[in-house]
Amino acid sequence: MKTQIEQNGIVILTKEASDSLEGSGLWNDDLRPTTMKEHSWKGLNFATLWIGMCLCIPAYTMASGLISLGMNWWQAIATIFVGNVIVLIPILLNSHAGTKYGIPYPVFARLWFGSKGAHIPAMARAIVAAGWFGINTWIGTGAIDTLLSASFSFWNFSGHTVIVFALFWILNVAVAYKGPQAMKYLSLIATPVVGISAIILLIWALTNSGGWGPILSTPSQFQTTGEFFKVFFPAVTGVIAFWATLALNIPDFCRYAKSQKSQMVAQSFSLPLTMTIFSFIGIAVTSATVVIFGQALWDPVALLAKFPPFIIFLGTLVIVISSLTINVGANVVAPARAIENLNPRRITFGLGALITGLFAILMQPWFIMENFGNYIFGWLGTYGALLGPIDGIAIADYWLVRKRQMALHELYDVNGRYSYTGGFNKNGVYALIIGVAVPVLGLIIPGLHFLWDNAWTFGLFVSIIAYTYLMKGDQSVLKKGEYEKMTSYKNSVSGNLADTLDGSNPNVNLY
């Protein structure tokens, strides 16, 4: 029996197959595969999504850390560009699966860890995302609170920070509650607003400083190429870790893509170029502040506080939009989906978003930032880097083991092939352990510290090799001809699709 339809590289379930899964414990309206109608995101939507998320305070200040390590401005910019091009590769590879089969990240994880084992990579991604959600909400709160205090003398009343945090938290959760589709419209607003504001800030800096400023003329502190590379490689790993977590759950967004080409082209240009250009703006403006104010102001909030009240007000709105975009897109969608996947019959995405918000509060981000800021940031960065092995397993499974062919119906069948034994794919667990263990050797053996400096990269490649080897001959892999037997091919909306579009074919689910 045909259970799925492939049309122009996108696979959907037949209506009969979809109806048969309605009572499955692995199925609900949020986790089900998208329909053909829901594949509506064009390249513009993916471009604005990434541009909106990249135009944020951490991206603005990213180069400052690299310059403090001894790099000059162009070395810092080159490092940021290289890191983002590298992380773009797993993003695009995992995007393909989300686009082709219309599945979110936790469902994609069932393929390589099993119906129950999928909770391991899903919750691993969720924990770090929830941690960052709380921290970014607190950072946004501090920025808004500082700008309000600079604008209004009455704002320094007792409890003002608590009020700002509560309102900003509610705003984040409210937008997240609407689901990933809300990001589609939020990004369309955020991209031009924040982008134009950044350009205006750059023009102001150049006009008032009479040039680029001293930071752009400061030479590199490295005397040899070897000295540079000792800093470059761990710095690249840090840049990769910035988006390494989203490389895992990018299917949560790409499941709505209209075509593979549109999402691939849009993401390929928007991510590395936006991060690089925005980081350069951060360097250039900061360099100008040395001339204008006599000190380097890397924090855009501290810079805005020096402007008149009306400009501060406009800047506050921009920061709210910027913080909201990256926080919801990068830090709420993944944990909300992971929580929903724990019990799809009882938990919705909206409820998962609310639980994520509450968990972020319980982590007390204000306490973390006040007392253990450097440690926690280091820990979360390290944790993000160690997600490399999960990226590697996902890539190996989809591209090398299954060669992009799967039984979509069985991802939602509790007795299907992707439940493996007892709901766990032991090969995925073993590959994960091996992929994490190899970089950790760099912490134990001094001569192998380069493994830890490049934890994400080594973990990714080691897990690819281990998982591909362990999955040889696995019973869950479709045998030759099986995919064709379960798949009906439709190549256009004319001719053989005429009966589909007028509703006369009950086995097609294109609504």
Side-chain angles (χ1 to χ4, degrees), residues 49-361:
L49 174 70
W50 274 111
I51 294 172
M53 290 193 297
C54 290
L55 298 179
C56 59
I57 293 176
Y60 181 95
T61 60
M62 178 179 287
S64 65
L66 302 181
I67 289 175
S68 70
L69 292 175
M71 294 185 183
N72 60 28
W73 74 269
W74 67 262
Q75 288 172 336
I77 291 299
T79 301
I80 291 170
F81 179 77
V82 169
N84 280 281
V85 169
I86 292 173
V87 79
L88 177 66
I89 297 172
I91 286 174
L92 293 180
L93 291 175
N94 289 332
S95 292
H96 192 284
T99 300
K100 181 174 182 177
Y101 292 97
I103 51 177
Y105 170 61
V107 175
F108 184 34
R110 294 173 188 172
L111 196 63
W112 12 287
F113 270 82
S115 56
K116 294 180 180 178
H119 298 316
I120 298 172
M123 293 308 297
R125 169 66 179 97
I127 291 170
V128 69
W132 277 114
F133 171 66
I135 289 172
N136 278 329
T137 301
W138 185 247
I139 291 174
T141 296
I144 297 167
D145 198 38
T146 297
L147 294 175
L148 288 174
S149 297
S151 300
F152 308 104
S153 58
F154 66 85
W155 190 254
N156 292 315
F157 57 87
S158 178
H160 58 91
T161 304
V162 175
I163 293 174
V164 174
F165 179 80
L167 292 175
F168 192 52
W169 181 89
I170 290 171
L171 181 61
N172 276 269
V173 173
V175 173
Y177 191 88
K178 297 293 184 180
Q181 290 284 27
M183 284 298 301
K184 175 181 177 181
Y185 301 105
L186 177 61
S187 299
L188 287 173
I189 297 172
T191 298
V193 170
V194 183
I196 292 173
S197 299
I199 293 172
I200 292 173
L201 184 62
L202 178 63
I203 294 172
W204 167 85
L206 294 178
T207 302
N208 286 272
S209 66
W212 292 104
I215 293 178
L216 289 173
S217 61
T218 302
S220 170
Q221 296 179 24
F222 303 115
Q223 301 301 316
T224 65
T225 303
E227 288 181 3
F228 170 74
F229 280 123
K230 284 182 180 179
V231 174
F232 173 76
F233 287 113
V236 165
T237 296
V239 174
I240 291 171
F242 196 87
W243 293 119
T245 50
L246 202 61
L248 282 172
N249 74 291
I250 192 64
D252 287 330
F253 298 101
C254 285
R255 62 192 297 233
Y256 302 107
K258 199 166 188 177
S259 68
Q260 296 287 5
K261 181 180 178 181
S262 63
Q263 60 88 0
M264 288 181 67
V265 172
Q267 293 191 94
S268 297
F269 283 97
S270 57
L271 169 58
L273 290 181
T274 304
M275 287 293 291
T276 303
I277 293 171
F278 197 53
S279 294
F280 173 76
I281 291 176
I283 294 174
V285 173
T286 303
S287 185
T289 61
V290 177
V291 177
I292 300 170
F293 300 109
Q295 60 179 319
L297 299 175
W298 286 102
D299 185 354
V301 175
L303 175 58
L304 279 172
K306 292 185 175 294
F307 284 86
F310 181 68
I311 301 300
I312 294 176
F313 171 74
L314 294 179
T316 302
L317 292 179
V318 172
I319 287 176
V320 167
I321 294 172
S322 171
S323 300
L324 184 64
T325 303
I326 187 174
N327 217 17
V328 174
N331 300 321
V332 180
V333 173
R337 283 273 184 250
I339 293 169
E340 179 184 19
N341 191 53
L342 292 174
N343 193 336
R345 306 303 298 176
R346 294 178 179 271
I347 303 175
T348 63
F349 177 87
L351 181 57
L354 181 59
I355 294 173
T356 298
L358 293 173
F359 180 71
I361 292 176

Side-chain angles (χ1 to χ4, degrees), residues 485-508:
K485 288 181 181 179
M486 66 180 66
T487 307
S488 175
Y489 293 90
K490 308 292 184 181
N491 296 319
S492 69
V493 294
S494 60
N496 60 0
L497 265 188
D499 60 334
T500 294
L501 298 180
D502 66 15
S504 59
N505 187 342
N507 291 325
V508 177

